[in-house]
Amino acid sequence: MRAAWGVTAAVVLIVMVQQAVAADLAQAASVPQAGASVTEAPSPWQIRLRALGVITEDSGYVNTVPGSGLSFSDTVPPELDISYFFTDNIAAEIILGTTYANIEGQGAIGGLGNIGKVWLLPPTLTLQYHFTNFGAFKPYVGAGVNYTIFYNQDAGSADALKVKNTFGTALQVGFDYMVDQHWGVNFDVKKLFLKPDFDVTVDGAKLTGKAALDPWLVGAGVTYRF
């Protein structure tokens, strides 16, 4: 399965965070530990720069064409995210980045090959809970919304292609490991639930369908806390 390594990473992090939840609740009133200066943050603002693996689900269809299917290319773009901490535990994060997807016909429309290529801009806003009683190790979970904009759409074997902008939802799990008050490393996994509608024209016939992208976003990079 193409998304197996993304799923495995998410499962491992979820198990870690479940343990973190129990420890965080049990130790909420504990005194600061040695090395607490490593995690003291002078500002509520934080940025991250990640390399992001975008792993799409190969699912979708053309209406009125039984047995039709779609597949989408995977990519590794850069990503910038900006976080604001309302409290030590609660933060909002927005991710900014852009990538592309090649759309291939499968099943009954496999003979079309490359139907087209689209670029997408998927700003995603999540509300996060950060666990604070592990010193420099700072796991978090989050959930939020996504609005994906499709642009620079080029038809391949199709005469014309239009993937429509759409809203989606997002789930998130990850951690920062802070090496000092400002700098750290980050690992993050998001699941976007993203199923845009599209219009396509093939041999003069105008058709509609749905592209079930539902990508995993698996990222690793550098954290800077102001």
Side-chain angles (χ1 to χ4, degrees):
M1 181 177 172
R2 295 174 64 196
W5 68 280
V7 176
T8 301
V11 169
V12 171
L13 284 173
I14 288 169
V15 171
M16 293 167 58
V17 169
Q18 287 177 334
Q19 296 174 344
V21 171
D24 199 53
L25 293 174
Q27 300 180 27
S30 63
V31 297
Q33 301 175 355
S37 61
V38 172
T39 57
E40 290 175 356
S43 166
W45 291 99
Q46 178 176 278
I47 61 172
R48 300 186 186 94
L49 183 63
R50 300 186 183 109
L52 189 68
V54 181
I55 308 165
T56 57
E57 299 289 334
D58 287 336
S59 184
Y61 54 85
V62 176
N63 295 323
T64 73
V65 182
S68 59
L70 299 172
S71 68
F72 314 97
S73 58
D74 300 332
T75 57
V76 185
E79 178 223 70
L80 173 70
D81 79 59
I82 303 170
S83 298
Y84 183 85
F85 283 77
F86 301 100
T87 69
D88 288 343
N89 300 106
I90 306 299
E93 175 196 85
I94 186 166
I95 67 168
L96 304 171
T98 189
T99 188
Y100 66 89
N102 285 305
I103 304 172
E104 304 283 335
Q106 298 290 319
I109 59 171
L112 292 176
N114 180 262
I115 296 171
K117 177 180 178 179
V118 299
W119 281 82
L120 53 151
L121 178 67
T124 301
L125 178 66
T126 58
L127 185 66
Q128 302 170 333
Y129 185 85
H130 291 251
F131 304 93
T132 58
N133 59 313
F134 296 97
F137 178 65
K138 301 178 72 66
Y140 57 86
V141 294
V145 294
N146 161 271
Y147 184 73
T148 299
I149 301 165
F150 296 91
Y151 66 100
N152 283 0
Q153 304 191 42
D154 297 317
S157 59
D159 302 323
L161 175 67
K162 174 64 175 179
V163 184
K164 299 178 181 180
N165 300 344
T166 189
F167 282 98
T169 56
L171 297 176
Q172 177 183 33
V173 61
F175 68 85
D176 292 300
Y177 187 86
M178 304 302 295
V179 298
D180 61 26
Q181 285 187 338
H182 298 289
W183 291 98
V185 294
N186 173 260
F187 183 73
D188 183 273
V189 177
K190 295 183 184 71
K191 176 66 173 180
L192 301 187
F193 298 92
L194 184 63
K195 295 178 173 65
D197 295 320
F198 65 86
D199 298 328
V200 63
T201 303
V202 179
D203 293 333
K206 295 183 178 180
L207 303 167
T208 61
K210 188 175 289 291
L213 295 166
D214 290 343
W216 289 92
L217 308 182
V218 183
V222 177
T223 298
Y224 183 80
R225 186 75 178 262
F226 290 94

